[in-house]
DNA sequence: ATAGTCACG
DNA sequence: ACGTACGTGACTATA
């Protein structure tokens, strides 16, 4: 972003009618024309109905027009109603207006010979754009009614709609990424990759494509005759993922080297080499897209590039975070993250006394869990016991069973089952909540978050055991993950508002599910800290469980974290 | 286009 | 007896 240049503006105020205004090709003339509409577009006494309003609003912002809303966004309305479906306009039009739209490819073709909208005859563009506006307008009352029937009008009006401009501004701001740092690191990784590659070839007795899972499987299990345990994939291939290879690392020195090769290649191709190409030449910054209508739980998703999966767990990977820098010497990065938010929300929602007590005591929660399930005083909890308890805590939010837990912890299935049984003895209220949630899902066909976000579970009463147990885990996980998503969205809206009201220069630039990152103007550091420490913990008021937020500051994202 | 793999919360 | 972890996006190989 600038994602594109404007070719035309299209308005519709009445069904079956639309008005198309071509925008000149010369950018100064384009800006001048768009500014003819500035007062209208910036008026806050009109409702702007749009399909993915953030897109149009962002485009206008690049032209210097600040659309304030309020909006009615058909894409987001539909996302709330049917979070597991698609939300594109052609789908909505077919599903709700029973009309098949003309595909954009019929206007501009596809592939190499694809034209831009500018090269299409005015009459055709006007017709196509007019349909867009008209259908969006017609969809509004339908989706508005659906939201009301599903009791999500408030969630929509007070969270999702206000979030549109918050995300727009975050994307517009972007983040500074240091390309020189990454170029140096790329060379280092290249050396490592070439070195490991030769070592793998030596162990294998000849070269092959290590990036091909198929060839890796054939080399390991056919040419080298290493023992293969377990099932093959659905397509009959050997599974060679990190779990499987780590399991058999003792078998041969080549295994660790293949994993090393994979690790370095992943870092280089997905992050180190890719991120600098995403720097916008006009702004010198990277403007990710935060998709508000993708994750069925209510979370955001980030793409082009995805800035929600930048490495941190691994030493070589976390190096990449050093490339994320504040905008200038006068700025500093601040990262604020919710501590164990999903576990706290399970405690809150289930009302489990023991769990609430553990959080209220302020003790290390995983340690407190270990003390309970192993029945030892908290001072005597071993590192292993704490680690196991942490994994159980984590697994619980996914509704995982004994098989998976045993695999995660490297213990027997029976020990894993005992652990889970003990866990539910200690946290009986949690067990009750999980059973009730599944029962609710079975009778109503959906589950909901604390703020009323819904997700339908079509398979919850399926006769297919695999399908129904999948749905049960989703039923347990969605209210937790979704409530955490609701909470951080509210916090983002409040923080954005405070920054605006106080005319601050600092900006919110990233959201990573339980973390917010700010590019802070140094003189405002204490003000921002205070705002964050007020808005994040108090996003959902009157909770029984304490909500804690950790803050870090630094000259790059790694330091700040 | 799909599968496999792996990065994050 | 057996078993499936929840939610994403990007890259590479392969059909």
């Amino acid at each position: 972003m600038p994602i594109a240049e404007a070719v035309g503006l299209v308005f519709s105020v009445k069904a079956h009618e639309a008005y198309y205004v071509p925008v000149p090709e010369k950018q100064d003339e384009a800006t001048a024309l768009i500014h003819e509409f500035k007062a209208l577009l910036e008026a806050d006494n009109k409702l702007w109905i749009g399909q993915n309003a953030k897109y149009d609003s962002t485009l206008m912002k690049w032209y210097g027009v600040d659309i304030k809303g309020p909006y009615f966004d058909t894409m987001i309305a539909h996302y709330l109603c049917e979070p597991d479906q698609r939300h594109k306009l052609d789908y909505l039009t077919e599903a709700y207006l029973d009309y098949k739209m003309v595909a954009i490819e019929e206007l501009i073709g596809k592939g190499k010979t694809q034209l831009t909208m500018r090269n299409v005859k005015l009459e055709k563009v006007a017709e196509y754009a007019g349909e867009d506006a008209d259908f969006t307008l017609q969809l509004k009352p339908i989706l508005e009614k659906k939201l009301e029937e599903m009791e999500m009008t408030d969630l929509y009006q007070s969270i999702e709609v206000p979030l549109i401009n918050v995300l727009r501004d975050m994307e517009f701001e972007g983040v500074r990424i240091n390309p020189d740092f990454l170029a140096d690191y790329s060379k280092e990784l290249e050396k490592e990759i070439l070195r490991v590659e030769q070592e793998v070839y030596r162990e294998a007795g000849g070269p092959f494509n290590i990036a091909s899972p198929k060839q890796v499987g054939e080399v390991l299990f056919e040419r080298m005759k290493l023992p293969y345990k377990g099932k093959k994939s659905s397509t009959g291939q050997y599974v060679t993922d990190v779990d499987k290879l780590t399991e058999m690392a003792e078998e041969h020195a080549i295994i660790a080297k293949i994993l090393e090769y994979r690790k370095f290649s992943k870092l280089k191709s997905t992050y180190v080499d890719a991120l600098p190409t995403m720097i916008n030449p006009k702004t010198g910054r990277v403007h990710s897209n935060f998709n508000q209508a993708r994750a069925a739980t209510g979370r955001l998703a980030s793409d082009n590039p995805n800035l929600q999966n930048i490495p941190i767990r691994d030493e070589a990977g976390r190096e990449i975070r050093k490339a994320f820098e504040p905008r200038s010497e006068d700025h500093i990065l601040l990262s604020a993250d919710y501590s164990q938010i999903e576990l706290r929300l399970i405690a809150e929602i289930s009302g489990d006394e023991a769990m609430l007590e553990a959080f209220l005591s302020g003790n290390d929660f995983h340690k407190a869990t270990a003390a309970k399930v192993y029945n030892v005083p908290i001072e005597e909890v071993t590192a292993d016991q704490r680690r196991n308890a942490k994994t159980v805590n984590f697994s619980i939010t996914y509704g995982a069973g004994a098989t998976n837990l045993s695999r995660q912890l490297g213990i027997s299935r029976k020990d894993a089952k005992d652990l889970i049984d003990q866990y539910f003895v200690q946290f009986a209220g949690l067990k009750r909540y999980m059973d009730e949630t599944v029962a609710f899902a079975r009778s109503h066909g959906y589950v909901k978050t604390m703020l009323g976000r819904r997700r339908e579970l079509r398979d919850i009463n399926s006769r297919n055991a695999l399908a129904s147990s999948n749905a049960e885990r989703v039923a347990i996980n969605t209210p937790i993950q979704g409530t955490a998503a609701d909470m951080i969205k509210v916090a983002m809206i409040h923080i954005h508002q405070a920054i605006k009201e106080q005319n601050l220069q600092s900006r919110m630039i990233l959201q990573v599910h339980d973390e917010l990152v700010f590019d802070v103007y140094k003189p405002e550091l204490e003000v921002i800290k205070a705002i964050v420490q007020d808005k994040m913990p108090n996003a959902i008021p009157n909770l029984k469980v304490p909500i804690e937020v950790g803050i870090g500051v630094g000259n790059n994202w790694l330091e700040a974290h």
Side-chain angles (χ1 to χ4, degrees):
Chain A
M1 301 188 217
I3 23 194
E5 68 179 56
V7 172
L9 307 176
V10 60
F11 302 92
S12 173
V13 292
K14 189 175 168 211
H16 311 293
E17 275 181 20
Y19 300 87
Y20 183 78
V21 184
V23 170
E25 191 160 0
K26 281 194 188 151
Q27 282 308 290
D28 52 341
E29 290 174 23
T31 303
L33 180 121
I34 287 167
H35 278 240
E36 297 281 332
F37 293 87
K38 188 173 159 76
L40 173 70
L41 292 165
E42 293 186 344
D44 59 6
N45 60 351
K46 291 180 179 57
L47 180 67
W48 292 101
I49 302 167
Q51 161 75 7
N52 192 7
K54 172 157 66 72
Y55 185 93
D56 305 80
S57 196
T58 299
L59 187 56
M60 289 300 102
K61 187 159 172 164
W62 288 108
Y63 282 97
V65 174
D66 179 18
I67 301 181
K68 293 169 183 66
Y71 302 106
F72 187 96
D73 190 319
T74 47
M75 180 181 78
I76 293 168
H78 189 258
Y79 166 66
L80 289 190
C81 296
E82 305 264 6
D84 283 285
Q85 300 304 124
R86 301 167 46 231
H87 316 295
K88 290 172 75 90
L89 188 58
D90 55 0
Y91 172 81
L92 300 186
T93 302
E94 203 172 334
Y96 295 92
L97 301 174
D98 197 26
Y99 182 92
K100 236 180 145 63
M101 287 176 68
V102 179
I104 180 105
E105 284 82 17
E106 293 194 20
L107 261 77
I108 60 174
K110 54 178 174 182
K112 282 198 172 104
T113 56
Q114 194 172 53
L115 309 166
T116 75
M117 278 298 223
R118 265 207 200 286
N119 302 323
V120 180
K121 272 177 69 182
L122 176 65
E123 291 74 23
K124 286 195 164 187
V125 179
E127 180 72 21
Y128 177 86
E131 274 199 348
D132 261 30
D134 179 26
F135 293 144
T136 304
L137 182 73
Q138 291 189 48
L139 283 165
K140 187 247 183 187
I142 298 170
L143 294 168
E144 192 173 37
K145 182 155 167 272
K146 225 167 137 65
L147 282 172
E148 188 60 33
E149 286 165 1
M150 296 177 79
E151 300 175 320
M152 286 192 289
T153 302
D154 188 53
L155 174 70
Y156 182 73
Q157 298 292 356
S158 57
I159 299 182
E160 297 297 343
V161 170
L163 190 65
I164 293 171
N165 279 351
V166 176
L167 297 180
R168 176 199 66 184
D169 292 351
M170 222 163 78
E171 293 172 4
F172 185 87
E173 183 67 17
V175 54
R176 178 179 174 188
I177 290 178
N178 183 335
D180 301 326
F181 176 86
L182 290 177
D184 289 345
Y185 194 36
S186 179
K187 283 179 205 142
E188 252 182 76
L189 287 173
E190 180 66 29
K191 268 189 264 172
E192 292 298 310
I193 290 166
L194 289 171
R195 176 180 63 77
V196 179
E197 195 176 45
Q198 289 310 313
E199 291 175 6
V200 170
Y201 295 163
R202 179 152 18 93
E203 301 285 356
F208 65 100
N209 188 352
I210 314 173
S212 161
K214 187 161 175 277
Q215 293 184 38
V216 168
E218 286 161 2
V219 167
L220 291 180
F221 305 115
E222 289 173 16
R223 192 202 295 180
M224 297 177 69
K225 305 249 182 324
L226 297 179
Y228 182 77
K229 304 183 194 95
K231 290 187 304 191
K232 294 197 180 173
S233 76
S234 55
T235 55
Q237 274 202 69
Y238 297 106
V239 174
T240 69
D241 64 18
V242 85
D243 276 358
K244 176 66 63 197
L245 292 190
T246 307
E247 207 173 276
M248 54 178 287
E250 305 295 301
E251 299 284 349
H252 201 286
I254 194 173
I255 305 292
K257 293 184 195 305
I258 290 172
L259 287 172
E260 219 180 342
Y261 175 91
R262 288 228 183 108
K263 180 172 87 179
F264 292 138
S265 307
K266 174 83 174 180
L267 294 181
K268 186 167 183 294
S269 66
T270 306
Y271 305 103
V272 178
D273 291 347
L275 287 173
T277 71
M278 306 295 289
I279 296 173
N280 184 302
K282 290 193 183 120
T283 63
R285 296 168 73 84
V286 173
H287 305 267
S288 174
N289 175 49
F290 285 94
N291 192 338
Q292 198 181 343
R294 179 73 181 82
T297 53
R299 275 189 177 183
L300 300 177
S302 153
D303 62 16
N304 292 306
N306 182 353
L307 295 183
Q308 292 181 322
N309 73 346
I310 302 303
I312 189 159
R313 297 171 188 170
D314 168 84
E315 184 62 45
R318 66 195 313 172
E319 195 67 14
I320 293 163
R321 294 203 171 213
K322 292 185 184 167
F324 288 72
E325 297 178 349
R327 74 156 48 248
S328 76
E329 301 245 300
D330 295 336
H331 288 68
I332 192 160
L333 290 188
L334 182 148
S335 157
D337 68 310
Y338 283 114
S339 155
Q340 295 160 335
I341 189 62
E342 294 194 359
L343 281 171
R344 287 174 197 266
L345 290 175
I346 291 193
E348 176 69 32
I349 295 170
S350 71
D352 183 283
E353 293 293 338
M355 216 169 180
L356 284 171
E357 210 291 309
F359 278 121
L360 284 162
S361 73
N363 285 330
D364 175 338
F365 184 77
H366 300 308
K367 218 171 182 178
T369 307
K372 283 185 192 299
V373 298
Y374 290 107
N375 193 25
V376 294
I378 195 159
E379 314 80 51
E380 290 173 26
V381 170
T382 67
D384 253 18
Q385 288 172 331
R386 184 184 183 280
R387 189 177 56 88
N388 286 3
K390 185 176 175 179
T391 305
V392 181
N393 279 331
F394 185 62
S395 307
I396 284 312
T397 63
Y398 298 155
T403 306
N404 225 282
L405 185 64
S406 68
R407 196 149 52 89
Q408 283 294 317
L409 289 173
I411 60 179
S412 73
R413 208 182 158 279
K414 180 178 181 312
D415 286 352
K417 186 174 181 305
D418 291 345
L419 201 53
I420 292 174
D421 288 347
Q422 252 318 297
Y423 192 91
F424 285 133
V425 168
Q426 293 300 324
F427 301 120
L430 183 52
K431 175 68 177 157
R432 193 181 325 119
Y433 160 75
M434 288 167 72
D435 292 343
E436 283 168 5
T437 303
V438 170
F440 181 94
R442 286 201 186 110
S443 60
H444 292 82
Y446 68 87
V447 289
K448 57 183 180 182
T449 67
M450 274 183 76
L451 299 195
R453 183 187 307 278
R454 288 195 194 188
R455 185 175 184 188
E456 192 185 344
L457 300 162
R458 285 177 176 73
D459 291 333
I460 194 74
N461 292 310
S462 170
R463 266 80 66 200
N464 178 339
L466 182 62
S468 64
S469 57
N470 276 337
E472 284 172 15
R473 289 194 304 277
V474 173
I476 290 166
N477 177 260
T478 296
I480 308 304
Q481 195 182 115
T483 302
D486 296 344
M487 181 185 268
I488 197 166
K489 283 177 172 177
V490 173
M492 290 167 75
I493 293 162
H494 291 169
I495 291 169
H496 181 261
Q497 192 180 2
I499 286 176
K500 217 166 176 172
E501 280 171 5
Q502 297 177 41
N503 271 317
L504 301 174
Q505 296 180 40
S506 305
R507 293 287 179 267
M508 180 159 60
I509 57 172
L510 298 173
Q511 190 254 42
V512 193
H513 311 306
D514 64 356
E515 174 190 11
L516 296 175
V517 181
F518 298 85
D519 204 337
V520 176
Y521 180 49
K522 283 177 180 171
E524 296 172 355
L525 181 57
E526 292 311 313
V527 183
I528 293 290
K529 275 188 180 172
I531 291 172
V532 165
Q533 275 300 8
D534 175 32
K535 306 301 183 191
M536 284 180 78
N538 297 313
I540 301 179
N542 304 318
L543 299 180
K544 297 193 280 285
V545 75
I547 301 294
E548 289 179 9
V549 170
I551 287 185
V553 167
N555 286 313
N556 60 60
W557 196 5
L558 184 60
E559 277 184 15
H561 203 277

